[in-house]
Structures are given as structure tokens and as C-alpha cells.
Amino acid sequence: MSTSSAAVRFGRGHTDDLMSFLSAAPSPYHAVTVAAERLEKAGFRQVLETDSWDGTAGGRYVLRGGAIIAWYVPEGARAHTPFRIVGAHTDSPNLRVKPLPDTGSAGWRQIAVEIYGGTLLNTWLDRDLGLAGRLSLRDGSERLVNVDRALLRVPQLAIHLDRSVHSDGLKLDKQRHMQPIWGLGDVREGDLIRFLEEETGLPAGEVTGWDLMVHSIEPPSYLGRDRELVAGPRMDNLLSVHAGTAALAAVAATGDLPYIPVLAAFDHEENGSQSDTGADGPLLGSVLERSVFARGGTYEDRARAFAGTVCLSSDTGHAVHPNYPERHDPTHHPRANGGPILKVNVNQRYATDGSGRAVFAAACERAGVPWQTFVSNNAMPCGTTIGPITAARHGIRTVDIGVAILSMHSARELCGADDPYLLANALTAFLQG
């Protein structure tokens, strides 16, 4: 573990900013929009996939749905200059609105939702919930929507009506028990979309498609006697998206770089990454190749650039749980505020190997950031990330890292208040080379 005392680039103000970012990004579409706005302020400009690209120096980004790929070409970059990539994902487990949303029972009006990803269902009970996402309009355009007030609620059954809950545990049926209420009266088809059209100032009948999801309206907050912890939604994995955005903007300001730094924030990681905006799709490879070719490169230059490229796949991992320490590996106990974690699994659920460990260790040492190692208990199945997908799909050396948190996949997760800026410092040093 590196314990260098060198000064860091980001401090606690970065964590304050993370909480603002989490509040502003209740959906992947909001997350990439906010990230793009921050990169615009740092001098980046959007390029469209349907346009031709030039190879001049500067920062650029591509938006596609809930994904963003951003990169900075320094002055003098060659066509075969390798990339340094920070990979992350914008989606989080939650409840998503079905195509026919208006439903209800026993005089209650409800919204029909589908379970997205491996969410902890009980964490959505008895919370005040908002609704956010994107609306697709009749003319082909899109509009973001965020009803960030107490609109929905998934009510838990009273103890008096289920005395077995203490002995048998809470058992939730995904179809019958997770449909939120939003009012009283008869079900009226089209009511939810009409409500959202009114909320966004759109004419009736203008919305023809939607990608909507619920979110807890409770804002992120510091926690603990000394405010050394942060509680908030969607840390898995907007914490990494925020850190990667900050790191890319920071290194672009330095100008003189030996690599081309890249932020690749994908959608749909929580359900396998197989989409046109997921890590298992063609988006990243297409952007990197077009960048090479825009600088006059050939396929040979593309191959050379990819061969020298390294990706840090940054996602949250598991801090040791004080109430369940036996669920963790007995010799690997990542702790909150102990710095970012290196995630290792020899069965390639994570992409890290010894050479990748050396790259990450060197970046942390340059940044003066402590770091830790995570390995799963052999008796517990290991999760996975975009790391192995990126390595296999593009032939890019990839290292899995992240921040150790508790309550992963809950509607509200928990991390150390220092770890977000320690991660951002490590990512900055990595992108700088």
C-alpha cells in the first residue's frame, strides 16, 4: 500500500461537489448531461456521431442515450498515441416505469414498474420517491424530466397483517409488492404521461415514448459524529463518473500529456452491458478508432494505439461490513476512508492482473493516495464490472478499481467522505501518465 504524503489535487470540496452531482443526476440521462456541462466549462465540445471528425487538438465528447465518451487530444499527439481510459457506468438498480404505466387496486392509483438490476427491494419501501428520465417526443426530439418531490411511495405491509415477518423474514414479490402508489381514485389510462407533459410544459399527446425511473428524494448528506461518512443514492456508480469527469477536466488543463486521456461512462452495466450504450456494445471502440483515423492514422496506428492503452474500470466495491465480517475474505478488509481499492479475481470477474496492479500502484504513489485490495471470500460468488468486458472486446489492458462502500444496490448507499477525492486524485495521476 502506498502511503506517500504528497499533496493531493482534490480535497473535501470534491465530496461536497459529488453530493451536488448525485442530486442533479437521478437518471443516466441526467448524469451524462451534467457531466457534459462540466466538460463544456473545461473547454470540451460535443461532436455528433453522424458528422465527420477532425483530428485537431482539444477536448471532445460524444453523447448517446445514457452514455458519454469524452477524450482530450494534446498538441503533438501522433496517430498511434495510446489512450488512458477511465471506465465507469451511469446506471443504478432501481424501479423503472412499464410501457403501460397506469394501474391500481382497491381504490388506490398506482404506477406499474419493472425491477431494474439487482436492487435491494426492501430499501425502496416507505420512502418518498420522485420520478425522472427522458421523454421521446412526436418530432423525434427528447426532453429530460425530473419530478423531484414526494410523488410516489411503495408502502410496506403493517406488522399487524404479517406477524411472521420477524420469524420468517421479509419476503417481497417483485410483481405484487413493489408497485408504488401515487393517488386515490379510478385508474385512468394515459394519466401519468399527461401529468408529465404538464410538468414539462409540453402539449397533450406530444410524448410518444419514455424511459422513466423512480428515485429517492432524500438528498445526500454527511453522516457520523465527525462527518467522516457520506450517505446518498446512486454512488454505484455515479461516484466514479463524477471522479472521472473531474479528473479528465483537470488533466486537460495541463495540456502536455504522453497519452490521450478518455472518460468512458456506459449505461446498462447493472443488467449485463449488452446494449448500444453498454460496455459490451461498439461505442467505445468506434470512438477510439475514429479518433485515430481523424488524426490521419491507419489500421496499423490503431493497433499500436490499442496495444499501449490501459483502462481503469472504476466501480464501487465492498467495504468490510461490521455486522457481517465473516462474509468477507479474512485477510482482505477494505475500510472506509482507506483509499481506493484494487479489485482482484483470478476467475476474471475482475480484469486485474499483476501488471495492472503495478500501473495502479504507480498512479496512487504519484498522487500520494493510499490504496487497498479487495478479494471476495472463496465461499461467496463474486460480482463483475465493465472491466472484463472492456479487456475482452477491445484487447485493452484493464484494471478493476473503485471505492469501498456499504449497502451496495440499496436506494441509499454509504462511503467514507475522503474516498471520493482520493479516487479522483488517483484517476488524475493515471490519466496524466
Side-chain angles (χ1 to χ4, degrees):
M1 177 183 296
S2 169
T3 56
S4 169
S5 59
V8 297
R9 296 174 178 83
F10 299 104
R12 183 60 71 89
H14 176 88
T15 305
D16 295 337
D17 190 62
L18 167 64
M19 293 194 285
S20 297
F21 186 87
L22 294 174
S23 294
S27 79
Y29 316 110
H30 289 82
V32 298
T33 299
V34 176
E37 290 171 351
R38 291 168 178 235
L39 291 172
E40 289 270 358
K41 291 179 180 178
F44 285 68
R45 61 180 176 87
Q46 183 178 4
V47 293
L48 301 179
E49 293 182 82
T50 54
D51 289 346
S52 62
W53 295 0
D54 65 66
T56 56
R60 298 169 177 81
Y61 66 89
V62 166
L63 290 178
R64 184 193 289 184
I68 182 171
I69 311 292
W71 67 102
Y72 179 81
V73 179
E75 290 285 352
R78 307 284 295 277
H80 61 266
T81 298
F83 301 92
R84 281 285 175 106
I85 305 169
V86 171
H89 67 88
T90 60
D91 60 319
S92 302
N94 56 18
L95 313 178
R96 302 205 172 188
V97 176
K98 288 184 175 181
L100 300 176
D102 299 291
T103 187
S105 177
W108 296 95
R109 295 165 64 195
Q110 295 173 277
I111 301 301
V113 296
E114 189 173 3
I115 310 303
Y116 179 83
T119 186
L120 289 171
L121 297 179
N122 64 294
T123 67
W124 292 93
L125 301 179
D126 298 330
R127 287 185 182 272
D128 294 339
L129 304 173
L131 189 65
R134 67 177 178 181
L135 303 172
S136 297
L137 308 186
R138 191 170 297 279
D139 63 1
S141 63
E142 296 175 345
R143 180 78 63 87
L144 295 184
V145 61
N146 181 13
V147 184
D148 196 31
R149 65 177 187 271
L151 180 69
L152 308 167
R153 188 177 179 89
V154 183
Q156 188 168 192
L157 186 64
I159 183 65
H160 313 81
L161 303 177
D162 185 12
R163 297 287 185 181
S164 67
V165 69
H166 289 316
S167 58
D168 299 338
L170 179 64
K171 298 178 181 178
L172 295 171
D173 183 281
K174 293 180 180 180
Q175 179 62 38
R176 293 186 294 122
H177 300 151
M178 297 305 298
Q179 309 306 312
I181 61 172
W182 77 311
L184 298 170
D186 297 331
V187 177
R188 295 189 293 269
E189 185 178 350
D191 206 17
L192 176 65
I193 300 307
R194 282 192 293 270
F195 164 76
L196 294 176
E197 287 172 336
E198 293 173 359
E199 285 286 307
T200 53
L202 292 168
E206 190 68 18
V207 173
T208 56
W210 51 87
D211 300 280
L212 301 167
M213 58 207 72
V214 306
H215 65 274
S216 172
I217 65 170
E218 183 181 3
S221 63
Y222 286 104
L223 184 145
R225 186 193 67 179
D226 299 318
R227 293 163 54 88
E228 69 267 51
L229 301 169
V230 171
R234 300 178 294 281
M235 291 186 182
D236 179 12
N237 186 33
L238 294 188
L239 190 158
S240 295
V241 175
H242 175 259
T245 303
L248 180 60
V251 300
T254 66
D256 185 20
L257 299 166
Y259 301 100
I260 296 174
V262 179
L263 169 67
F266 302 100
D267 202 352
H268 302 130
E269 189 273 347
E270 297 294 355
N271 59 12
S273 296
Q274 292 186 322
S275 72
D276 69 323
T277 53
D280 203 19
L283 181 58
L284 176 61
S286 173
V287 168
L288 298 184
E289 288 181 347
R290 291 185 68 176
S291 175
V292 170
F293 298 151
R295 282 175 278 124
T298 63
Y299 183 82
E300 180 73 7
D301 293 311
R302 180 260 188 215
R304 293 174 65 187
F306 276 44
T309 293
V310 183
C311 173
L312 287 191
S313 165
S314 182
D315 204 344
T316 55
H318 302 293
V320 62
H321 198 300
N323 297 337
Y324 304 90
E326 74 282 358
R327 301 296 181 99
H328 300 265
D329 183 86
T331 58
H332 296 79
H333 276 189
R335 298 176 181 272
N337 288 335
I341 56 174
L342 180 75
K343 301 159 75 172
V344 178
N345 179 265
V346 296
N347 293 301
Q348 292 301 294
R349 300 293 286 173
Y350 302 131
T352 306
D353 62 10
S355 65
R357 173 191 171 102
V359 171
F360 177 65
C364 289
E365 184 174 355
R366 290 194 301 274
V369 168
W371 58 278
Q372 312 175 79
T373 305
F374 171 82
V375 179
S376 289
N377 186 310
N378 285 334
M380 298 287 169
C382 179
T384 191
T385 68
I386 66 166
I389 294 171
T390 302
R393 183 171 182 84
H394 305 294
I396 289 173
R397 182 165 47 151
T398 304
V399 189
D400 273 295
I401 67 160
V403 163
I405 69 171
L406 292 181
S407 306
M408 186 183 293
H409 287 196
S410 169
R412 194 169 177 86
E413 297 161 325
L414 183 72
C415 76
D418 297 341
D419 284 329
Y421 69 77
L422 293 176
L423 173 66
N425 290 326
L427 296 181
T428 301
F430 165 74
L431 291 177
Q432 285 179 319

